[in-house]
Amino acid sequence: MSSIERQPNNHWRARYRDPFGRSRSKTFRRKIEAEQFLTSVGHTKLVGTYVDPSGARLLFGEWLTDWRAGIVDLRPSTLARDDDYIERYLKPAFGHLRLGEIDHAMVRAWVAELSARGLAPATVVLATGILRKVLATAVTAGLIASSPAVGLRLPRIEHTEMRFLTPIEVATLADAIDPSFRALILLGAYGGLRIGEMLGLRAKRLDVLRGQVEVAEILVEVSGHLHYGPPKTRAGRRTVPLPRVATSALAEHLRQRPAGPDDLVFRAPDGGPVRLANWRHRHWAKAVRKAGVEPLRPHDLRHTAVALWIAAGATPKEVAARAGHTSVVTVLDRYGHLLPGTSERVNEALDALAQGTGHGRCVRRSGEPTRLLALHDTYCFKR
């Protein structure tokens, strides 16, 4: 039910009930404005786009707290990263504003300001992505009618050149690191496991006789706390075939450091899990310097594995399966330049076409142009 009442000051109060049955009202100077408002409210209720007027008055900082409490599908490491971005970039810019005050121009200026501060394009894109999620959820919750963070032009992310090791460099690095982590280097460089997947690997997931490893969980450290969990995506849980160079090293590793089925394959000196930050400082950095392969990140072992698979003749589909990528497109985008090219074959075929020396078939009917019969056929040229 809705109604319009005349007030003592000759203003008009429009009364209505929102979709939740709560009584609402708004005052106007003219009766026609009140009538138009009630018509608009009735339409939004009918089509399901009603927005609670009080929602737009909620502070962005307060909504952030509610939004953050409802996040249940992100990994601890992702949550920690997003929290850091929120504190650094979102709250200082929008925390003191009401949701209804934030407009597209304001968000666009914020993106430009982040870029002007010299932040990496990837940082700007990620911060904007978090803001978009926060505001999109506000729309879903009926607090604002639309998100002011849509239609933004963001800086282009230029992919940096990947670092790959040669087999000789892999062997040199494996010999340079502490013997307790020699097998880890070879597993990363030939099996393509992420560092968290290797540090979370349990002995029962490793089958050296069949030459394969099951990736079922990872180990990450967030704010000093260790977390075990499944791989980031469904494709991330996979069984990876391993060459003998990796399985032999793993078999020797387990012979010297026996482990029960549920024990970690790679352990700290005290027998507990390896903390990545400590491992980088105490073992990785020293071995990289000693092997003369600086600069190098642990993740570059994974890039090395993909490069070696491709060099060994693996197809994009096989690479995606081994690496745990959800799509072959990811492989082609990141590693397409490493795939065997066909430029020489294509150029030779083009030359053959131009010279009319190809062996394909072409047909010409009277009054019709030459028709190509099949993909492998060649064109006929008039001489």
Coordinates of all heavy atoms in Angstrom, one line a residue, residues 76-86 126 130 133 222 232:
P76 N 43.4 -18.8 2.4 CA 44.0 -17.9 3.4 C 45.0 -16.9 2.8 O 45.0 -15.7 3.1 CB 44.6 -18.8 4.4 CG 43.9 -20.1 4.3 CD 43.5 -20.2 2.9
S77 N 45.8 -17.4 1.9 CA 46.8 -16.5 1.3 C 46.2 -15.4 0.4 O 46.6 -14.3 0.4 CB 47.8 -17.3 0.4 OG 47.1 -18.1 -0.6
T78 N 45.1 -15.8 -0.3 CA 44.4 -14.8 -1.1 C 43.7 -13.8 -0.2 O 43.7 -12.6 -0.5 CB 43.3 -15.5 -2.0 OG1 44.0 -16.5 -2.8 CG2 42.6 -14.5 -2.9
L79 N 43.1 -14.2 0.9 CA 42.4 -13.3 1.8 C 43.4 -12.3 2.4 O 43.1 -11.1 2.5 CB 41.7 -14.1 2.9 CG 40.4 -14.8 2.6 CD1 40.0 -15.7 3.8 CD2 39.4 -13.8 2.2
A80 N 44.6 -12.8 2.8 CA 45.6 -12.0 3.3 C 46.1 -10.9 2.3 O 46.3 -9.8 2.7 CB 46.8 -12.8 3.8
R81 N 46.2 -11.3 1.1 CA 46.6 -10.4 0.0 C 45.5 -9.3 -0.2 O 45.8 -8.1 -0.2 CB 46.9 -11.1 -1.3 CG 47.3 -10.3 -2.4 CD 46.9 -10.9 -3.8 NE 45.5 -11.1 -3.9 CZ 44.9 -11.8 -4.9 NH1 45.7 -12.5 -5.7 NH2 43.6 -11.9 -5.0
D82 N 44.3 -9.8 -0.2 CA 43.2 -8.8 -0.4 C 43.0 -7.9 0.7 O 42.8 -6.7 0.6 CB 41.9 -9.6 -0.6 CG 41.8 -10.2 -2.0 OD1 42.8 -10.1 -2.8 OD2 40.8 -10.9 -2.3
D83 N 43.2 -8.4 2.0 CA 43.1 -7.5 3.1 C 44.2 -6.4 3.1 O 44.0 -5.3 3.4 CB 43.3 -8.3 4.4 CG 42.1 -9.2 4.7 OD1 41.0 -8.9 4.2 OD2 42.2 -10.1 5.5
D84 N 45.4 -6.8 2.6 CA 46.5 -5.8 2.5 C 46.1 -4.7 1.5 O 46.4 -3.6 1.7 CB 47.8 -6.6 2.1 CG 49.0 -5.6 2.0 OD1 49.3 -4.9 2.9 OD2 49.5 -5.5 0.9
Y85 N 45.6 -5.1 0.4 CA 45.2 -4.2 -0.7 C 44.1 -3.3 -0.2 O 44.0 -2.1 -0.4 CB 44.7 -4.9 -1.9 CG 45.8 -5.2 -2.9 CD1 46.9 -6.1 -2.5 CD2 45.9 -4.7 -4.2 CE1 47.9 -6.4 -3.4 CE2 46.9 -5.0 -5.0 CZ 47.9 -5.9 -4.6 OH 48.9 -6.2 -5.5
I86 N 43.1 -3.8 0.6 CA 42.0 -3.0 1.1 C 42.6 -2.0 2.1 O 42.2 -0.8 2.0 CB 41.0 -3.9 1.9 CG1 40.2 -4.8 0.8 CG2 40.1 -3.1 2.7 CD1 39.4 -5.8 1.5
L126 N 44.6 -5.4 -9.8 CA 44.1 -6.2 -8.7 C 43.3 -5.4 -7.7 O 42.3 -5.8 -7.2 CB 45.3 -6.9 -8.0 CG 45.0 -7.8 -6.9 CD1 43.9 -8.9 -7.3 CD2 46.2 -8.5 -6.3
I130 N 39.3 -5.9 -6.7 CA 38.7 -6.0 -5.3 C 37.6 -5.0 -5.1 O 36.5 -5.3 -4.6 CB 39.8 -5.9 -4.3 CG1 40.8 -7.0 -4.4 CG2 39.2 -5.9 -2.9 CD1 42.1 -6.8 -3.5
K133 N 34.4 -6.1 -6.8 CA 33.7 -7.1 -6.1 C 33.0 -6.5 -4.9 O 31.8 -6.9 -4.7 CB 34.7 -8.2 -5.7 CG 35.3 -9.0 -6.8 CD 36.1 -10.2 -6.3 CE 37.4 -9.8 -5.6 NZ 38.2 -11.0 -5.2
V222 N 50.8 -17.9 5.9 CA 50.1 -16.6 5.9 C 50.2 -15.9 7.3 O 49.8 -16.5 8.3 CB 48.6 -16.7 5.5 CG1 47.9 -15.3 5.5 CG2 48.5 -17.4 4.2
K232 N 44.4 -24.8 -5.8 CA 43.6 -23.6 -6.0 C 42.4 -23.9 -6.9 O 41.3 -23.4 -6.8 CB 44.4 -22.5 -6.7 CG 43.7 -21.2 -6.7 CD 44.6 -20.1 -7.2 CE 44.0 -18.7 -7.3 NZ 44.9 -17.6 -7.7

